[in-house]
Amino acid sequence: MEKAAVAFLQSLEPEQLQLAQHSFDEQRKDWHFVPRDRKGLSLERMASEQHALAYALLRQGLSEQGVQTVENIRSLESILQALEGPSRFFERDPEDYHFYVFGNPSDDTWGWRFEGHHVSINATVVKGEGVSMSPRFLGANPAEVRSGERKGLRALAAEEDLAFALAESFSAEQLAKAVFRSNAPRDIFTGAHRKVSPLPVEGIAYPELDTVQQSRLRALLEVYVSKAERELGEAVLAELENGGWELVRFGWAGPVDREQGNYYYLQGARFLIEYDNTQNGNNHIHSVWREFDGDFGEDLIQAHRHQHAH
């Protein structure tokens, strides 16, 4: 990751470097998934070689599946532009996605972000401790392309299909535990908060599922894990296999009906996944991976400070 970041930064002209490199301070937590004015180095401002080096850095944090999901989401901007027509506020632009490097890759702590509409990939590197890849937001509007050349494209299909397969398998008793609200919220509860806490303990617990349902819940969680680079994803699964599954809960809001707004969360001891599909006629998905102590590498930074204090 350090080598990829250095190669990317060294490829930039001075005016590009000024946009791409920022201090490692609280501004690195100023993330969002909506269209807004961003101060990083956009893809539009990069030459083809620089674009390739930027994506080489992205591939150090995401798997190929994760990168392809990002590309599918970016491609939806052109579809949205055609659907919406001229906008008073902004244009949909698949090149309006920005890279940031926070600090110097040779430092003990540094980070990077790739962000634009419906994509926010945040990485924090702490030497001697590890790498954090949260918050990680991926969204899709439209969730399903229903006309045109890309008809049928669903950028976040598995996140939807596996959750419905699980919810539709519940008995009446299980469904009564899983559904914690009769109507889905308009958006994910955690928004773009810089720090999150566990949601109230509701929903249904992993031990309350039968073996088939447990497999479905595992498959759903692995969809989110699989977006991360392989070693980073394997570390998450290894922790779950070491007794972590017993603490995982699944909660649903709204009817179990694809024609109506729906929401779910998956929550473990350290992480929270949220998914929401209620906007634009229930054809607009938001999904996010958060870590209670580990967002922006806060747990790694604290461990590093503690080690050096002694």
Side-chain angles (χ1 to χ4, degrees), residues 289-308:
W289 176 287
R290 303 300 304 262
E291 295 185 2
F292 305 123
D293 297 320
D295 275 354
F296 301 106
E298 285 301 306
D299 56 344
L300 303 178
I301 292 171
Q302 291 302 319
H304 182 75
R305 289 173 177 167
H306 180 75
Q307 179 183 354
H308 283 265

Side-chain angles (χ1 to χ4, degrees), residues 2 37 63 88 110 117 119 121 130 151 218 235 247 270:
E2 177 183 342
D37 184 27
S63 64
R88 290 187 305 160
W110 65 281
H117 182 215
V119 173
I121 311 298
K151 181 179 179 180
R218 285 172 176 257
L247 302 176
R270 291 170 51 89

Side-chain angles (χ1 to χ4, degrees), residues 210-259:
D210 63 34
T211 55
V212 173
Q213 292 167 336
Q214 288 178 348
S215 296
R216 287 175 175 168
L217 187 145
R218 285 172 176 257
L220 176 59
L221 191 143
E222 286 171 6
V223 165
Y224 288 88
V225 172
S226 68
K227 299 292 195 300
E229 187 275 335
R230 180 180 57 81
E231 290 185 23
L232 298 172
E234 287 178 351
V236 173
L237 293 177
E239 184 174 331
L240 287 170
E241 295 300 338
N242 190 26
W245 284 109
E246 303 302 309
L247 302 176
V248 172
R249 303 186 74 90
F250 176 83
W252 187 278
V256 184
D257 181 350
R258 290 177 186 260
E259 299 301 316

Side-chain angles (χ1 to χ4, degrees), residues 62-120:
L62 297 184
S63 64
E64 284 302 319
Q65 182 179 348
V67 172
Q68 185 58 58
T69 299
V70 167
E71 292 302 273
N72 285 337
I73 292 169
R74 284 207 306 123
S75 75
L76 295 176
E77 292 296 282
S78 298
I79 294 169
L80 267 184
Q81 183 69 15
L83 289 172
E84 295 175 340
S87 170
R88 290 187 305 160
F89 304 108
F90 53 83
E91 289 189 1
R92 307 292 189 176
D93 184 357
E95 297 299 301
D96 191 24
Y97 287 74
H98 296 238
F99 271 92
Y100 307 73
V101 175
F102 301 106
N104 295 306
S106 59
D107 291 344
D108 283 354
T109 56
W110 65 281
W112 57 271
R113 176 163 72 231
F114 178 64
E115 186 174 270
H117 182 215
H118 279 161
V119 173
S120 187

Side-chain angles (χ1 to χ4, degrees), residues 97-156:
Y97 287 74
H98 296 238
F99 271 92
Y100 307 73
V101 175
F102 301 106
N104 295 306
S106 59
D107 291 344
D108 283 354
T109 56
W110 65 281
W112 57 271
R113 176 163 72 231
F114 178 64
E115 186 174 270
H117 182 215
H118 279 161
V119 173
S120 187
I121 311 298
N122 296 274
T124 307
V125 183
V126 183
K127 291 185 180 177
E129 300 295 337
V131 177
S132 164
M133 290 300 302
S134 65
R136 186 185 75 211
F137 182 97
L138 297 170
N141 180 19
E144 179 182 4
V145 180
R146 293 172 177 168
S147 62
E149 292 182 1
R150 306 208 72 189
K151 181 179 179 180
L153 173 65
R154 299 169 65 212
L156 300 173

Side-chain angles (χ1 to χ4, degrees), residues 33-82:
F33 46 85
V34 299
R36 66 173 183 173
D37 184 27
R38 291 180 165 86
K39 304 299 184 182
L41 180 62
S42 69
L43 297 175
E44 186 177 21
R45 289 175 176 261
M46 295 183 199
S48 57
E49 178 186 355
Q50 295 166 337
H51 186 291
L53 290 170
Y55 265 64
L57 175 57
L58 185 63
R59 284 183 167 87
Q60 294 302 312
L62 297 184
S63 64
E64 284 302 319
Q65 182 179 348
V67 172
Q68 185 58 58
T69 299
V70 167
E71 292 302 273
N72 285 337
I73 292 169
R74 284 207 306 123
S75 75
L76 295 176
E77 292 296 282
S78 298
I79 294 169
L80 267 184
Q81 183 69 15

